[in-house]
Amino acid sequence: MSSRKQVILGAYVAGVNHHTAWWHPDAGSQIDFSTFEHVARTAERGRFDFFFLAEGLALRERAGQVFDQDVVGRPDTLPVLASLAAVTTHLGLAGTINATFNEPYELARQFATLDHLSGGRTAWNVVTSFDAFTGQNFRRGGFLQRSQRYERAAEMIEAARVLWDSWDDEDLIADQAGGRFLGRPDAGRFDITGNQFDIHGRFTVPRSPQGRPVILQAGVSPEGRDFAARHSDAIFSPFGKLPEAAEFYRDVKARAARFGRNPDELKILPSASFVLGDTEAEAKERHREIREQQITGQTALILLEQIWNRDLSGYDPDGPLPDIDPDPDAPPFIQGRALVHQDRFATVARWREIAEAKKLSLRELVIDQFERGPFVGTPAQVAQQIDDFVQNDGADGLIIGSHLVPSGLDEFVDKVVPLLQERGSLRTEYTGMTLRDNLGLPPLPRRSGSVTAAV
């Protein structure tokens, strides 16, 4: 058995964002099942750990109009994953579901059902939302107060775990003659009280093959890092390069330890892309061409408009950065896109310094700054880059995507995966029965007895 860290690999379909090369002649639909099936089957062929879907609950808008440079439209996450369960055998199925706009009983029931249908291969990526633009699709008033988003999410996870644990491991006794499943008289009973939820009843779905779905989360702020360190099995990292990735890795693992957890039981997973070539020079040129196609002048302006919160259409994308300051107090100019850079003024100041130092135009600055941790080079170079990044604790693995959907992942699986396997850093065959097994997470303790909880 290799002593090297095993590289965790997830595959994602990029969906609605500027990274997707929808103009490419080989690009496929963002909605047809064939797209999701192709990526999932390819990932399983490459012995990936899981397939991942993000989620967009509202069409993005600019000044009240739907973006015309985005790929728009995405089907609901859970039916897609349920369909993929039928065409895969080992691959984990991870879905992004919002904790702000869903209820514990319904969500827990859906994931428990999917975990049964897939044989224990599901994961829930827990996200929150506090903006009225997205919330108007779901609730009166449009949103929860921002201070309550993590409170609700934490209670949602705890409530879901109570529901998933409401059946004993030994509850199911098959009555073959009657075609029934028998359990103890109080099987599925739950009683949950908290600030966000006050629910009581019986859960309808028995304990699933892996006990509970794997919990994923993304959080960069101190509050988000604490949330993930306390509640999650894996956290998505925004850092794709050392040493900042290693610092995030150390910080979140240390937070997990302070919550009494084994740091090895919290996996750190940044998203990443790749560009391959027969030579390093060819790969770099191909990467340059892709980035210039992805970041058009219009796209560059729109990406900056979210930071400035102003209409920047009068600025030349090939000219300097706007000479005006952001306007954080104005109504949101861009709606439906998560704001990663919370301090607008500090971000703009830093970008101006970078543009001045590197002599970059507005569009060139966006190309430089809006990267997603690409690994660029020959297949051997990319395999080494990924392996070095993981072995040096930049992460425990990567969520790999391609600008070309659905066939872009094929190149990675055909050319890079065999080299990672030769290094002893990636499995050659699946050995676990569930996603929890394959991620190297410890088995959950066996359950017995009814569940009552204050969350």
Side-chain angles (χ1 to χ4, degrees), residues 18 60-63 65-70 295-313 315 317 333-335 337 339 344 351 362-363 366 370:
H18 62 277
R60 294 170 176 171
E61 293 184 3
R62 175 189 179 275
Q65 301 296 317
V66 174
F67 274 15
D68 62 2
Q69 86 283 9
D70 266 358
I295 306 295
T296 64
Q298 181 195 24
T299 296
L301 288 170
I302 288 174
L303 289 173
L304 293 192
E305 283 177 338
Q306 186 181 21
I307 306 301
W308 263 262
N309 201 35
R310 293 176 179 272
D311 182 351
L312 301 181
S313 58
Y315 286 84
F333 192 72
I334 301 293
Q335 303 251 45
R337 182 188 290 273
L339 182 61
R344 300 173 189 268
W351 284 352
L362 184 157
R363 179 166 171 257
V366 173
F370 283 77

Side-chain angles (χ1 to χ4, degrees), residues 103-109 111-112 124 126 152-166 190 192 197 199 203 207 211-213 215 451 455:
E103 296 299 318
Y105 185 89
E106 180 181 33
L107 185 146
R109 188 167 180 260
F111 270 109
W124 171 26
V126 183
R152 181 180 174 90
E155 285 197 18
M156 174 74 86
I157 291 175
E158 292 303 320
R161 284 174 170 161
V162 167
L163 293 164
W164 291 327
D165 287 348
S166 63
F190 64 89
I192 300 170
F197 308 110
I199 54 177
F203 194 54
R207 194 161 169 84
R212 307 170 191 155
I215 299 295
V451 178
V455 297

Side-chain angles (χ1 to χ4, degrees), residues 8 233-235 253 263-269 396 439-441:
I8 295 171
D233 298 304
I235 177 173
K253 297 272 188 172
D264 292 337
E265 295 174 8
L266 175 62
K267 307 301 182 181
I268 314 297
L269 304 171
D396 294 304
L439 290 175
L441 298 172

Side-chain angles (χ1 to χ4, degrees), residues 376-452:
V376 180
T378 65
Q381 288 173 327
V382 168
Q384 181 174 346
Q385 292 167 18
I386 291 174
D387 199 25
D388 288 347
F389 182 69
V390 172
Q391 303 305 329
N392 287 292
D393 289 343
D396 294 304
L398 300 167
I399 316 296
I400 300 287
S402 170
H403 66 286
L404 186 59
V405 176
S407 60
L409 190 65
D410 295 46
E411 189 176 27
F412 184 89
V413 168
D414 292 337
K415 297 180 179 180
V416 178
V417 161
L419 300 177
L420 289 172
Q421 291 171 330
E422 287 179 9
R423 288 170 166 263
S425 301
L426 182 66
R427 67 173 67 87
T428 56
E429 295 294 340
Y430 291 102
T431 56
M433 298 298 294
T434 68
L435 175 57
R436 191 173 294 276
D437 293 336
N438 288 327
L439 290 175
L441 298 172
L444 296 172
R446 298 184 67 81
R447 274 282 305 117
S448 63
S450 59
V451 178
T452 300

Side-chain angles (χ1 to χ4, degrees), residues 134-154:
T134 301
Q136 66 189 353
N137 288 338
F138 295 93
R139 62 167 65 241
R140 181 179 299 176
F143 65 102
L144 287 177
Q145 292 296 325
R146 180 167 183 166
S147 61
Q148 292 182 296
R149 61 175 176 157
Y150 281 118
E151 175 187 318
R152 181 180 174 90

